[in-house]
Amino acid sequence: AKRRNMERLTLACGGVPVNSVEDLEVDALGWAGKIREETLGDDKFTFVENVRLGKSCTILIRGPNKHTIDQIKDATRDGLRAAKSAMEDKALVPGAGAFEVAAYRMLMRRKGAVSGRAKLGIEAFANAMLVVPKTLAENSGLDVQESIIKLEEEQERSEEAVGLDLNSGEVFLPAAMGVWDSFTVKKQTLNLSTILATQLLLVDEVMKAGKAMGKQPAQGAEDE
């Protein structure tokens, strides 16, 4: 913990870590405008403020009980990770179910370009995409089918990625209202869900094959 704090102070204040007072030099020093110690509850905290670099910081979370603090901590962590992903990806996806409905429409158009049993797979994948907007509508007390139809019709008419306003139940432009989803999260969701579904189907086929193999000796014994 002490080493981590030293590394954080270096990132915040500058300077170079030294092991003894004899090694101190002017070039090794950092800079902070204010350093104070404050007691919160039974613990003492040292606050280093007004630093010049600001490449590291600590977020102090306070609450009336542990449950509230844990909730605030989770929300803070999720927000920071979402911001980090957006900066790394340099891309965002319209939220409020807009992406999923647009993907559903694209897949249904693609369905007409294939033949055979592949049509069933594309249709199943397209219907699975609607789980997100359906869940949003259901959790908001809206009519699920009516909400999905509104989204499809508006996207078909305007050719824009409109989403579902959970307060009014009407369609709106998520990009205009700042409602976004993480590009990385969407990509990983599509990738992992496809892999899991494939693995489950494979296990199902293996179990069916095992049952079929188990029946063959019994039928042979009856023939004898």
Side-chain angles (χ1 to χ4, degrees):
K2 292 182 179 179
R3 180 176 179 179
R4 184 176 61 180
N5 291 337
M6 178 184 66
E7 293 173 349
R8 289 178 174 175
L9 282 173
T10 303
L11 291 172
C13 304
V16 180
V18 295
N19 296 323
S20 63
V21 179
E22 287 76 14
D23 298 332
L24 280 176
E25 296 179 359
V26 176
D27 296 338
L29 298 177
W31 191 92
K34 182 179 180 182
I35 299 178
R36 61 186 176 87
E37 187 179 81
E38 184 175 339
T39 301
L40 300 175
D42 299 330
D43 301 319
K44 290 184 178 181
F45 295 87
T46 302
F47 292 84
V48 182
E49 302 174 343
N50 302 328
V51 296
R52 287 180 176 175
L53 296 181
K55 293 183 179 180
S56 176
C57 66
T58 300
I59 299 177
L60 177 63
I61 298 175
R62 305 177 68 174
N65 50 61
K66 185 177 183 301
H67 176 68
T68 302
I69 292 175
D70 289 340
Q71 285 187 316
I72 298 174
K73 186 190 300 183
D74 291 339
T76 304
R77 184 182 294 111
D78 291 343
L80 290 173
R81 288 176 177 173
K84 176 178 178 292
S85 297
M87 293 175 66
E88 291 178 348
D89 297 334
K90 297 181 180 179
L92 290 169
V93 178
F99 166 75
E100 286 77 11
V101 174
Y104 167 81
R105 294 177 54 243
M106 182 274 293
L107 288 169
M108 294 306 289
R109 290 195 301 268
R110 176 64 180 168
K111 177 183 173 183
V114 299
S115 59
R117 298 178 62 180
K119 287 180 177 290
L120 299 177
I122 294 177
E123 183 177 357
F125 198 99
N127 290 330
M129 295 297 299
L130 294 180
V131 169
V132 172
K134 285 181 178 180
T135 303
L136 290 174
E138 184 177 358
N139 290 345
S140 302
L142 304 173
D143 185 274
V144 175
Q145 296 299 329
E146 183 179 351
S147 300
I148 297 299
I149 292 173
K150 281 183 180 180
L151 287 173
E152 287 187 54
E153 290 179 346
E154 183 61 26
Q155 287 198 9
E156 189 73 29
R157 184 188 65 81
S158 63
E159 289 297 330
E160 293 187 8
V162 297
L164 181 64
D165 189 331
L166 304 184
N167 295 318
S168 64
E170 301 297 327
V171 297
F172 76 114
L173 278 174
M177 301 300 294
V179 180
W180 301 97
D181 283 334
S182 170
F183 171 77
T184 297
V185 171
K186 291 297 182 185
K187 182 175 68 174
Q188 292 296 331
T189 300
L190 292 175
N191 184 38
L192 291 177
S193 61
T194 306
I195 293 174
L196 290 175
T198 303
Q199 292 297 323
L200 288 173
L201 291 173
L202 179 61
V203 171
D204 191 43
E205 291 296 327
V206 171
M207 292 179 65
K208 287 181 180 179
K211 290 181 180 180
M213 292 177 63
K215 292 178 180 179
Q216 289 178 1
Q219 292 176 355
E222 291 178 0
D223 293 339
E224 292 178 359

